Each structure stands twice: as C-alpha cells, then as structure tokens.
Amino acid sequence: MPAPRRKRRRPDVAVLRVGHRLGRDPRLTTHLALAARALGASRLYLHPPDPDLAERIAAVARRWGGSFEVTGVSSWKPVVAAHRGGVVHLTMYGEPLTRVLPRLRQVTRLLAVVGGAKVPPALFGAADFNVAIGAQPHSEVAALAVFLDRILEAPAPSMFRGAEQRIVPQRQGKKVVPVSKRKVR
Ligand code: SAM
C-alpha cells in the first residue's frame, strides 16, 4: 500500500515592496498591504518607510486581528541580504510561475519582492527566483495576490486571531458580528 502523502507545511511568506512613492502611491501600497495581510503573508517591509500607511494597516489589524505588520526600511538590500530562505522577485520578465512552483515548494520561508514604477536592476541579480505572473505588464497587487494564492494553496483566512469582529457571509447584504474571545482560530 502506498504511504499516505504528508500534508505540505505552508511556507512563511513575507513581502518587500520596493520603490513606494510617498505622496503618490499611498492608495496602491495600502491595497498591496491589505491584500498581503488578507491572503496570508506574515509581514510587509516597505521601502521607503511610510509611518502613516503603517499605522493605517495597524488599525485594520487591531480590528480584524492577526499579527501582520508593516515595517519601514530605508534600504531594500539589507532586507534581501538578511532573509533566510528564498527571495522571489515578481516581475513580468521572469520565469513563469507554473515552471518555478515545484522549486518554490521546497522552501519554507519566502520573501516576495514587488517593485513600483521603476525597479532597481540589482533586484534581478539579488533574487533567487525572478517569477512572472503572465508575461504581460499589470500590477504589483495582482501579481502578489496570484502568487500568494498559488504558493499558500489554501483559501484565504476568514478570520484572524484576536479579531474584534468577523463577517458572516451572506447571499445578500452585510453581516458583521463581534467575536467572542474564545472563538478565535
Ligand atoms: N516597469 C516596471 C518593471 O520594470 O518591471 C513594471 C512596474 S509594475 C507597474 C510594478 C510591479 O508590479 C513590478 O515591479 C512587479 O513586481 C509587478 N508586476 C507587474 N506585472 C507583473 C507580472 N506580469 N508578473 C509579475 N509581477 C508583475
């Protein structure tokens, strides 16, 4: 009888956003942080730092739970250099995700790096994997969302530990209820 297949342990995925433009990108980078948190990433390193944005995400986490946080960094290079695990640069010029996935699945800690309007060329060499989500230009939010969905291979969490409130899915309308502290996952 074949041995039962062991369930794959989900990797820890941190995100590094390079080239955030203060004053121009707050809405886009806020969406990137919200998508990262909601789809299962553990944290976001933000270059350069944006304390207002970090506080907005902290406020979301206080209400909706979890330990996701935004850490501002003045240079992206030390974050990449210090990462113990695989560094995955999401870029339309990279190898297709489906080709790289079997190799990525061997790695337990991943740092997913997304760029902004201009991507430093050094990032291509610093990454262990340059990965494309389709060979067409689109957006860092879309690229990260697809990447997290594929690498974490699980439905996005419906509730995080410590949430004050949760959504009860409805066919129509909205229902949000307070969370009793014993019911967190
Ligand atoms: N001109 C930029 C460049 O040199 O790559 C594209 C910038 S794009 C607006 C912003 C970010 O979205 C990119 O740095 C990359 O992380 C992500 N991105 C956009 N399209 C992608 C794709 N097809 N696959 C993977 N990532 C993508």
Side-chain angles (χ1 to χ4, degrees):
M1 197 168 72
R5 270 184 65 191
R6 287 246 310 273
K7 222 176 139 198
R8 188 176 74 97
R9 207 166 155 245
R10 286 212 271 164
D12 176 86
V13 184
V15 178
L16 167 62
R17 199 271 205 264
V18 174
H20 167 67
R21 292 169 301 180
L22 292 158
R24 273 191 76 173
D25 286 341
R27 189 171 149 81
L28 179 64
T29 305
T30 299
H31 287 181
L32 182 79
L34 290 173
R37 174 187 170 276
L39 298 177
S42 57
R43 61 171 54 245
L44 173 71
Y45 296 103
L46 180 57
H47 165 262
D50 184 338
D52 291 346
L53 189 153
E55 175 44 36
R56 279 200 299 282
I57 300 301
V60 170
R62 282 195 289 277
R63 214 155 136 212
W64 294 95
S67 56
F68 184 89
E69 59 183 20
V70 176
T71 305
V73 293
S74 50
S75 170
W76 59 268
K77 286 182 181 165
V79 179
V80 169
H83 181 71
R84 299 281 161 262
V87 176
V88 184
H89 171 214
L90 297 178
T91 166
M92 64 182 180
Y93 304 106
E95 293 182 88
L97 178 62
T98 43
R99 190 195 294 168
V100 188
L101 264 179
R103 280 177 277 153
L104 293 181
R105 290 198 168 124
Q106 313 297 315
V107 186
T108 53
R109 297 188 68 215
L110 293 168
L111 179 68
V113 188
V114 294
K118 272 209 159 180
V119 177
L123 203 46
F124 287 82
D128 300 303
F129 307 90
N130 289 291
V131 175
I133 312 291
Q136 298 293 321
H138 48 84
S139 133
E140 46 273 54
V141 183
L144 182 67
V146 171
F147 177 74
L148 288 172
D149 183 64
R150 296 292 300 278
I151 193 74
L152 296 177
E153 280 188 308
S158 58
M159 190 167 78
F160 289 98
R161 188 177 294 279
E164 290 174 0
Q165 59 185 31
R166 70 183 175 89
I167 291 168
V168 182
Q170 303 292 297
R171 192 173 275 187
Q172 286 192 14
K174 307 177 191 174
K175 188 168 180 181
V176 180
V177 296
V179 174
S180 96
K181 285 300 166 202
R182 281 183 294 123
K183 273 203 180 154
V184 290
R185 67 160 245 185

